Amino acid sequence: MRPDGADAMGGLNLLITGASGYLGKHTVAYSVAAGHRVTAVLRDRTALLQGWPDQVHVIASDLNDLKVLPHDIDVVIHLAASLEGDDAAQQSDTVDATKSLLSACLSLQKPPAFVLASSMSVYSGMKVNAGDVIDENSPLDDRADLRDAYCRGKIAQEMLCATVAADAGLPLQILRIGALYGPGRVWNAHIGVGLGPLLIQVGKDGEIPLSHVRHAAQALVLAAEQAGQGRSGVVNVVDDDLPDRKRFVKALKWRGWPKVTVPLRMVERAARLSAAWQGRPGLLRMPVLRARLLPLRYDNGRLHDLGWQSEGRFEDLMKQAREGGDD
């Protein structure tokens, strides 16, 4: 347990949605280790994870059907959202589910503070240039209609939470989490597109906005502690040691992949030539291409202000992820 953590605070009653998911299970574990009491919300009780301590209380419910919350919740950590699907899926599983959860919170005599797991995808790729630093003041995408459904869902979710929190006077921490990696997950769309032995890659420069899953879980719990003390904020959650694309691909080559890479300029040319094609894939739409592949740098100063600490270098954490040694 951290010496500056929950013992000094007396512990919080946390409600964690999406608790059986990839990030959720680590957030539950980190919360318990930090001395907090956890109510885990699962869509399906069969997803209940082995190894959870007895003090983790479980609610099995779709968030769209959740009407009543425990009366003593101090902070909600909201992770549940759709990671894929079209706009209808994002509306139902991300936006409407969040609206239902917020309604349940506001029905309590003392509504809890709120922590939202958002995404770095909400930032614009069209209003920045190669080499720019992305921080919490960087422009959000105001043309999400040209992006993917996930981006649109996360922007709408952020706006909903900010509006409700402001109207109700609730502390709100929005964490814009980078591309998660860890055991069982080492790939992300910021590298390029993999097609068999081929990698369509954006050159070799530009940091990859990574967040190891344990780093993200730590950040969420630290943010919950801040929200529990009445503090609001927006925090980008990316690791200290962010590899460039050359370094990341080198770490992937332990299995001999990729064998061939295609430079960004060829893909950009194809994107411009196909501009009139309404059904073109996301990679051939310039706003999507730039948001995923533009070489940028990332600042995590506010993350450190929370008291967050890195667990190690990228190569060491990636080695653990490949071997599944920390899951």
Side-chain angles (χ1 to χ4, degrees), residues 57-74:
H57 174 64
V58 174
I59 296 176
S61 175
D62 187 301
L63 288 183
N64 285 307
D65 300 325
L66 187 63
K67 306 301 181 186
V68 179
L69 299 179
H71 66 87
D72 59 348
I73 297 298
D74 297 308

Side-chain angles (χ1 to χ4, degrees), residues 51-280:
W52 274 0
D54 293 338
Q55 65 262 40
V56 175
H57 174 64
V58 174
I59 296 176
S61 175
D62 187 301
L63 288 183
N64 285 307
D65 300 325
L66 187 63
K67 306 301 181 186
V68 179
L69 299 179
H71 66 87
D72 59 348
I73 297 298
D74 297 308
V75 183
V76 170
I77 301 179
H78 183 32
L79 309 180
S82 178
L83 298 178
E84 55 189 11
D86 58 13
D87 285 297
Q90 291 295 329
Q91 181 65 38
S92 174
D93 297 340
T94 299
V95 181
D96 290 345
T98 301
K99 189 179 300 183
S100 177
L101 177 62
L102 288 166
S103 178
C105 290
L106 294 178
S107 71
L108 297 176
Q109 183 175 1
K110 182 183 178 184
F114 208 86
V115 176
L116 173 65
S118 187
S119 167
M120 294 289 287
S121 71
V122 300
Y123 289 112
S124 172
M126 299 300 291
K127 294 187 175 181
V128 291
N129 298 308
D132 283 354
V133 176
I134 300 297
D135 62 19
E136 292 81 1
N137 295 314
S138 296
L140 302 187
D141 204 321
D142 60 359
R143 289 303 309 274
D145 58 304
L146 300 178
R147 295 279 301 279
D148 54 89
Y150 176 77
C151 170
R152 288 190 287 274
K154 296 308 287 187
I155 289 176
Q157 187 187 43
E158 278 200 19
M159 292 176 61
L160 171 64
C161 289
T163 298
V164 171
D167 290 346
L170 299 180
L172 170 65
Q173 293 279 340
I174 296 176
L175 269 59
R176 294 174 179 154
I177 301 173
L180 289 174
Y181 78 107
R185 183 182 293 190
V186 296
W187 175 257
N188 70 79
H190 292 275
I191 306 307
V193 175
L195 299 171
L198 179 70
L199 172 64
I200 300 174
Q201 185 189 13
V202 55
K204 299 178 180 180
D205 300 321
E207 294 176 341
I208 309 299
L210 294 176
S211 179
H212 191 277
V213 65
R214 290 198 308 267
H215 286 164
Q218 178 192 162
L220 287 160
V221 176
L222 290 169
E225 292 170 358
Q226 291 294 310
Q229 297 179 56
R231 301 190 183 103
S232 297
V234 177
V235 180
N236 289 344
V237 181
V238 292
D239 290 354
D240 278 347
D241 187 18
L242 296 179
D244 60 20
R245 288 168 171 83
K246 178 180 179 181
R247 194 173 153 204
F248 189 98
V249 171
K250 181 179 179 181
L252 283 179
K253 283 191 173 181
W254 88 103
R255 288 182 180 169
W257 184 91
K259 297 182 183 301
V260 182
T261 61
V262 176
L264 174 66
R265 63 181 180 275
M266 294 178 62
V267 186
E268 287 183 324
R269 187 176 301 119
R272 292 189 182 96
L273 292 173
S274 65
W277 176 21
Q278 294 300 317
R280 65 194 186 279

Side-chain angles (χ1 to χ4, degrees), residues 1-2 5-7 11-17 19 23-40 52-53 55-56 75-77 79 115 214 216-225:
M1 186 180 301
R2 303 188 321 280
D7 275 351
L12 294 168
N13 291 321
L14 302 178
L15 184 139
I16 301 175
T17 71
L23 177 55
K25 63 184 180 181
H26 286 275
T27 305
V28 169
Y30 198 93
S31 298
V32 172
H36 301 301
R37 296 166 293 279
V38 173
T39 296
W52 274 0
Q55 65 262 40
V56 175
V75 183
V76 170
I77 301 179
L79 309 180
V115 176
R214 290 198 308 267
Q218 178 192 162
L220 287 160
V221 176
L222 290 169
E225 292 170 358

